[in-house]
Structures are given as C-alpha cells and as structure tokens.
Amino acid sequence: MADLAELTKLVETEAQAQGLSLVRVKMMGGTSDPTLQVMAERPDTRQLTLEDCARLSRRLSEVFDELDPIEHAYRLEVSSPGIDRPLTRLQDFEDWKGHEAKVVLEEKLDGRKQFTGGLAGIQGDDIVIDVQGLGETRLPFAMLHSAKLVMTDKLIQSTAPLSTEGADEIFDVAPELENPPPSDHEFEAEEED
C-alpha cells in the first residue's frame, strides 16, 4: 500500500504549481476498486473548474507514471470538494464560520464523538462549534476524524457557481402540444383497431 502522507506531499506540490489548494487526498475502494481521490480548489473562489480538474489530473498522471508511487493498479479521481465539502484543514473551520457542520472525533470527548452545529471558528488549535443543547464547544483539531459542511439554504446561497451564464435563459425543448397524447387506455384501443 502506498504511503498516503508521501502521496499527499507529492499531490500538494503539483496542485500548488497549478495555483490550486489541496483539500484532501484519500485512498478509497479497498482492494476491489482502489481509487486515489484528490480534491482541490482555487484559493480565491473555493471552487474548481472542469479545466482545472483536467489540467491537474493530467499532471498527476504524468508524475505518477514517472515516479510510480502506488505499486498496484488504481483509478485517479480529481474533483472539487463539492457544496457539502469535507473540512480537512484547521483554517476551513474559520473560513466556513456561520455554516452548519458535522464533526466526528477519533475518540469520545465528554461522552460523545459526533457534534453537529454552527461553526463559530477556531481558537488556537481547537474547532469551535455551537452545538444545540451544549452551546459553544471546543474540539481539539488533533482529535478530528472527519468533518463536513451540512447542506442548508445558507450554504447554497453562499456557494454560487463561478459562472451563471445561460442560467437565466429558457429553452423550449418541446413545443407545447395543443392536443395532449392519448392516455394508455386510448393508445391501447387505437392499436387494436
């Protein structure tokens, strides 16, 4: 199995050379369908265009072909983090302050591992999250297992696409029918004649 920390360093170097920030590198799919998932974004927009994905994917393929850091067959998947993105860097919790998140710790803290609530930023090396019934709660970033944003109307509104060109145009792909098609029963009757 490839060393994920070394792969991450390699991928991060290539992403930065493309002007992108690395969000996550993860090996998924086990032995039946090994997939190296790379999530990246533009630092200024927090999004990724198709051109960015293609360019980074081609570059990583070239580097991996040359260095062969993974000793078995695998699939390379390069993508944006998406709207309900994983939160993987301490700064993510500050950047997405005010949005709802689900945070899971490696081990229990005060009797629980999972915390859901509004992000209140960071304090030192701690994530601050406003959990219903608990209030503002500090979670050590070092104990983080996984975290992601929760889909809300506020999140949707704050993550507008890079380009909305054409989104306000309506195309009539099927002209309105003056006479609706026959129902199934009428159609069957027509076939019998």
Side-chain angles (χ1 to χ4, degrees), residues 11 14 38 56-65 76 78:
V11 171
E14 296 305 324
V38 174
L56 182 57
S57 180
R58 280 192 300 272
R59 181 62 190 143
L60 290 175
S61 292
E62 290 169 3
V63 170
F64 289 172
D65 285 347
L76 174 62
V78 177

Side-chain angles (χ1 to χ4, degrees), residues 145-166:
H145 174 266
S146 64
K148 72 176 202 160
L149 292 176
V150 174
M151 184 75 72
T152 62
D153 289 340
K154 181 180 180 180
L155 181 61
I156 292 168
Q157 291 171 355
S158 68
T159 54
L162 292 174
S163 171
T164 58
E165 185 177 321

